[in-house]
């Protein structure tokens, strides 16, 4: 039973690289005592996947983030910027950031865009002339003039949250590789959010309830959720193109030490 006498948890935000386990983490966080987020509530969604020129977008996010209530959290995908980092710092919002091997992100996007992301700028291309799976992957890698940037240019501003102090960064891989790595990750979440304050329930109980909330069948964006799927999909041309376009993304954020993979 939750101890109602313990102070509520301050609001926080969870963001991710698209196709890195957003719904998985949403389910996990809804397993925290008294904490809730209705994934259908647009007021608590925060999306910026471009370099903001319109200051009103940031004002809107600031206003809605400021109105999150105790035991609530926001979620979304936000490009890192100094201005956005300042917003979170000013509001004293803790930030959980989830990321994934960019190669698996690429494969997941190539399946997800034509199947479900009908607002994506390449959705109609993927249903007209880019109907081959490899062509879709290559277009996401190289970019399409006037429609979509190359893979490094679009992804890097998400991954830059890894470098921001006081952000809790979690990889999709540690959530999925084993029960041990997942339990360690969930423990980090609890310790980060409560930060030494009295927990409403024993730590082990909270972690167990968080893990118990995971249900891939309830996510309409979940496909396989596997680690290392790119190895089954990349041919030599895809691999070399990825190295040329976004190889440094893997190195800069810890997935490879060099381009010899």
């Amino acid at each position: 039973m939750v101890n109602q006498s313990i102070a509520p948890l301050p609001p926080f935000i969870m963001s991710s690289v698209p196709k890195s386990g957003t719904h998985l983490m949403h389910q996990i966080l809804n397993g925290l005592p008294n904490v809730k987020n209705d994934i259908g509530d647009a007021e608590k969604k925060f999306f910026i996947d471009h370099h903001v020129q319109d200051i009103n977008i940031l004002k809107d996010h600031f206003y809605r983030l400021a109105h999150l209530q105790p035991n609530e959290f926001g979620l979304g995908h936000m490009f890192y910027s100094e201005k956005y980092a300042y917003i979170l710092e000013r509001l004293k919002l803790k930030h959980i950031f989830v990321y994934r091997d960019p190669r698996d992100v690429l494969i997941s996007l190539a399946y997800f865009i034509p199947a479900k992301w009908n607002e994506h700028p390449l959705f109609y291309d993927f249903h007209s002339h880019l109907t081959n799976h490899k062509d879709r992957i290559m277009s996401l890698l190289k970019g399409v003039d006037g429609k979509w940037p190359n893979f490094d240019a679009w992804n890097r501003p998400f991954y830059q949250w890894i470098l921001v102090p006081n952000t809790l960064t979690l990889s999709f891989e540690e959530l999925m590789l084993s029960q041990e790595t997942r339990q360690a990750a969930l423990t980090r979440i609890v310790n980060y959010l409560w930060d030494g304050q009295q927990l409403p329930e024993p730590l082990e109980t909270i972690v167990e309830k968080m893990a118990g909330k995971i249900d891939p069948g309830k996510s309409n964006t979940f496909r396989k959720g596997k680690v290392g799927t790119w190895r089954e999909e990349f041919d030599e041309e895809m691999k070399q193109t990825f190295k040329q376009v976004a190889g440094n993304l893997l190195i800069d954020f810890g997935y490879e030490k060099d381009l010899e993979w």
Side-chain angles (χ1 to χ4, degrees):
M1 179 178 291
V2 174
N3 188 339
Q4 300 292 346
S5 66
I6 296 177
L9 189 67
F12 61 95
I13 187 166
M14 180 273 287
S15 77
S16 64
V17 178
K19 305 312 299 171
S20 293
T22 311
H23 283 72
L24 171 69
M25 183 55 66
H26 176 264
Q27 292 175 344
I28 287 169
L29 295 175
N30 271 299
L32 292 166
N34 290 333
V35 171
K36 65 180 184 300
N37 173 283
D38 177 0
I39 205 163
D41 187 350
E43 284 297 302
K44 296 178 179 62
K45 290 183 177 179
F46 301 88
F47 299 109
I48 297 181
D49 60 0
H50 58 280
H51 296 287
V52 176
Q53 306 299 326
D54 183 359
I55 194 67
N56 289 318
I57 295 175
L58 294 178
K59 287 181 178 179
D60 169 67
H61 279 221
F62 181 90
Y63 176 83
R64 291 190 291 114
L65 286 167
H67 280 77
L68 289 174
Q69 299 300 303
N71 289 333
E72 289 184 342
F73 65 94
L75 82 161
H77 311 300
M78 302 100 61
F79 267 20
Y80 165 81
S81 70
E82 290 184 359
K83 290 179 180 178
Y84 213 103
Y86 174 72
I87 286 174
L88 300 185
E89 181 180 355
R90 183 175 171 186
L91 294 175
K92 295 183 171 58
L93 283 177
K94 291 187 175 181
H95 179 200
I96 297 172
F97 175 69
V98 185
Y99 62 99
R100 185 183 191 182
D101 187 322
R103 292 163 294 197
D104 281 335
V105 170
L106 172 63
I107 297 302
S108 187
L109 281 170
Y111 282 107
F112 182 70
I113 291 170
K116 296 184 178 179
W117 195 349
N118 58 8
E119 294 180 351
H120 192 281
L122 297 182
F123 177 81
Y124 292 105
D125 294 46
F126 281 9
H127 285 276
S128 56
H129 60 284
L130 294 174
T131 55
N132 177 274
H133 184 58
K134 178 175 178 176
D135 289 342
R136 291 168 174 170
I137 291 174
M138 296 297 279
S139 67
L140 287 170
L141 264 178
K142 297 178 179 179
V144 177
D145 287 346
K147 290 187 177 181
W148 200 248
N150 72 42
F151 197 68
D152 184 282
W154 189 63
N155 277 276
R156 185 170 292 271
F158 292 118
Y159 285 87
Q160 283 180 304
W161 284 111
I162 293 174
L163 308 176
V164 177
N166 304 319
T167 301
L168 177 65
T169 59
L170 298 163
S171 72
F172 178 80
E173 289 76 21
E174 62 188 305
L175 292 170
M176 298 299 291
L177 276 174
S178 70
Q179 184 176 347
E180 289 73 25
T181 59
R182 176 181 290 171
Q183 186 168 5
L186 302 192
T187 300
R188 287 172 58 206
I189 293 171
V190 176
N191 290 336
Y192 172 72
L193 292 176
W194 271 272
D195 193 21
Q197 300 301 308
Q198 184 180 357
L199 296 175
E201 299 177 7
L203 175 62
E204 295 78 8
T205 302
I206 297 175
V207 169
E208 183 179 349
K209 288 182 177 179
M210 294 165 75
K213 282 286 187 176
I214 298 173
D215 184 356
K218 290 186 177 180
S219 169
N220 64 1
T221 66
F222 186 87
R223 191 176 66 88
K224 286 187 176 180
K226 292 174 61 177
V227 173
T229 301
W230 68 270
R231 299 179 188 278
E232 304 166 9
E233 301 258 357
F234 277 22
D235 62 18
E236 191 60 30
E237 183 184 8
M238 294 177 196
K239 183 184 289 190
Q240 294 306 318
T241 303
F242 194 103
K243 289 180 181 181
Q244 293 166 11
V245 174
N248 286 334
L249 192 65
L250 299 173
I251 297 170
D252 293 344
F253 298 106
Y255 279 95
E256 296 289 350
K257 293 181 179 180
D258 52 40
L259 295 179
E260 299 302 315
W261 49 272

